[in-house]
Amino acid sequence: MNAALGLFFKGLAMGAANVIPGVSGGTIALITGIYERLINAIKRCDLTAARLFFTGQWKACWQHVDGQWLSILLGGVAISIITLARLFEYLLEHHERYTMAFFFGLILLSILYVARGVRQWGMPTLLALVIGTAVAMGIAMLAPASQNDGMAYLFLCGVLAISSMILPGLSGSFVLILLGNYALVLGAISSFSLSVLIPLALGCAFGLVAFSHILAWVFKRFADVTLAVMTGFVIGSLVVIWPWKNAITHTVERIGKPPREVVTSYEWFMPNLADSSTWIAILLMLVGAAGIALMERYVGDDKQAD
């Protein structure tokens, strides 16, 4: 029961991370020690699983996909996303700097835990680290697209967002921002708009299975290099969640709909230490870092118990 409850809370943490632009649920999975099992469980949702299911061998199918473990984790993710969507929508609108400060501290310290998984650092892994950091920072500099509620585009959004959600350091929420549909999806979750959620969910299901096979293959054969790239992704993601930045927006005219302000880029700046809000943000950074340290300690206890 304790193991199941702990796994459920890890799912809650992953779901909460995926709601925040720039924060990855894959990072949470990696530092809590469940990443490889998660990828392998998703990978088993294959033709063998389909054959077992459609021939009535449901128990064998459930065991093949590690169903009990996966359902507990994904249940926590789903509940977290559904229940926290409105909360984070409010926090990002009214207290964006403080919200980003908390997650900046959390992600900053998590870099140490992710990098610790590399068994041997050398030239290949250091190069992979630099490449991963450069790619993540390059993505952060891209200009977001305009909102598009077409079914095919929503399917593509699902594929790309879910792939980034399971990749540490890349945020599904930020990918949705780049694709122009973050606000649309967040609103659809809050209002349960099936016209948006169904094609998005289909894209997520397809992308999840396809990308997990690729990732599992790479992870198995090039573990250290892959983990070094992931560490670079996490480092690069700090650009997106830096609390002290101003959004540069422009107005998009839409046929049959009111104009909408969209973020095209960011203008970063250093904090003013004479401002009391700066120290509140720094305190929240420390709280976020303490949270990830406590989580790592809890996971360490779990491993010792196992």
Side-chain angles (χ1 to χ4, degrees), residues 12-14 16-18 20 22-29 31-32 88 98-114 169 234-235 237-238 241 243 281-296:
L12 289 177
M14 286 179 62
N18 279 324
I20 298 295
V23 184
S24 168
T27 302
I28 303 298
I31 63 179
T32 54
F88 284 119
Y98 293 154
T99 305
M100 290 299 187
F102 173 81
F103 280 97
F104 187 90
L106 186 151
I107 297 301
L108 184 63
L109 188 60
S110 73
I111 292 169
L112 298 177
Y113 296 123
V114 176
V234 177
I235 295 173
S237 72
L238 292 175
I241 55 176
I282 292 173
L283 177 61
L284 287 169
M285 283 184 182
L286 295 175
V287 171
I292 208 68
L294 289 174
M295 184 181 295
E296 173 63 18

Side-chain angles (χ1 to χ4, degrees), residues 4-5 9 105 111 209:
L5 188 60
F9 279 113
I111 292 169
V209 175

Side-chain angles (χ1 to χ4, degrees), residues 51-262:
R51 177 180 58 79
L52 292 171
F53 180 83
F54 287 112
T55 56
Q57 302 178 65
W58 297 317
K59 184 176 180 180
C61 177
W62 187 252
Q63 293 174 341
H64 175 73
V65 300
D66 203 359
Q68 182 175 351
W69 185 90
L70 194 60
S71 62
I72 293 172
L73 179 69
L74 295 184
V77 172
I79 290 174
S80 180
I81 291 175
I82 293 171
T83 57
L84 292 176
R86 287 185 181 274
L87 172 61
F88 284 119
E89 192 174 13
Y90 172 83
L91 290 175
L92 288 171
E93 182 178 353
H94 298 285
H95 305 287
E96 180 182 4
R97 184 165 298 170
Y98 293 154
T99 305
M100 290 299 187
F102 173 81
F103 280 97
F104 187 90
L106 186 151
I107 297 301
L108 184 63
L109 188 60
S110 73
I111 292 169
L112 298 177
Y113 296 123
V114 176
R116 195 173 62 183
V118 178
R119 289 168 295 184
Q120 185 174 0
W121 283 98
M123 187 57 67
T125 47
L126 288 174
L127 181 60
L129 177 71
V130 172
I131 292 174
T133 303
V135 169
M137 292 182 69
I139 292 174
M141 301 297 178
L142 292 175
S146 301
Q147 182 172 299
N148 187 335
D149 58 1
M151 289 187 63
Y153 191 73
L154 286 169
F155 181 87
L156 177 63
C157 287
V159 172
L160 296 178
I162 200 68
S163 297
S164 59
M165 282 180 182
I166 62 175
L167 193 62
L170 292 182
S171 162
S173 297
F174 186 67
V175 167
L176 286 176
I177 286 179
L178 292 177
L179 294 171
N181 276 352
Y182 178 71
L184 176 69
V185 171
L186 202 61
I189 294 172
S190 300
S191 62
F192 203 65
S193 174
L194 295 180
S195 63
V196 173
L197 295 178
I198 289 177
L200 186 76
L202 291 174
C204 287
F206 175 81
L208 193 63
V209 175
F211 189 66
S212 65
H213 277 77
I214 297 171
L215 197 56
W217 184 87
V218 173
F219 209 98
K220 182 177 180 180
R221 287 161 177 77
F222 310 101
D224 277 0
V225 172
T226 303
L227 201 53
V229 170
M230 291 179 177
T231 304
F233 285 162
V234 177
I235 295 173
S237 72
L238 292 175
V239 174
V240 182
I241 55 176
W242 176 251
W244 293 278
K245 63 182 184 292
N246 293 320
I248 300 174
T249 64
H250 77 277
T251 303
V252 175
E253 299 293 337
R254 301 181 295 170
I255 299 175
K257 296 181 180 180
R260 181 179 181 83
E261 291 288 326
V262 297

